[in-house]
Amino acid sequence: MSPMPSSLSARSAAEVNAEIRDLWQRSGGSLTPQDEADYQRLLMEWAATTGGSVRTTA
């Protein structure tokens, strides 16, 4: 996994959420390994915008 910058995003949670929804729609509900990596990155970005935390699987 690549290192995450300290400032993940200037985007709003709604913008990140829209990208997550688009990813799932495009994938048809089955993520490729690249899609999964993108999804994990987006989850981290979303958590940073909401002040939450995200647990990811190894």
Side-chain angles (χ1 to χ4, degrees):
M1 177 185 254
S2 60
M4 302 300 287
S6 59
S7 175
L8 290 175
S9 177
R11 298 189 298 169
S12 71
E15 290 172 310
V16 178
N17 191 38
E19 190 171 339
I20 291 169
R21 289 175 186 265
D22 182 58
L23 174 64
W24 278 105
Q25 184 176 8
R26 285 183 287 123
S27 73
S30 180
L31 299 177
T32 66
Q34 180 59 51
D35 289 339
E36 179 66 28
D38 291 342
Y39 178 64
Q40 294 298 326
R41 176 188 54 81
L42 289 166
L43 284 180
M44 296 298 289
E45 184 178 351
W46 179 85
T49 64
T50 62
S53 64
V54 174
R55 290 178 37 178
T56 60
T57 58

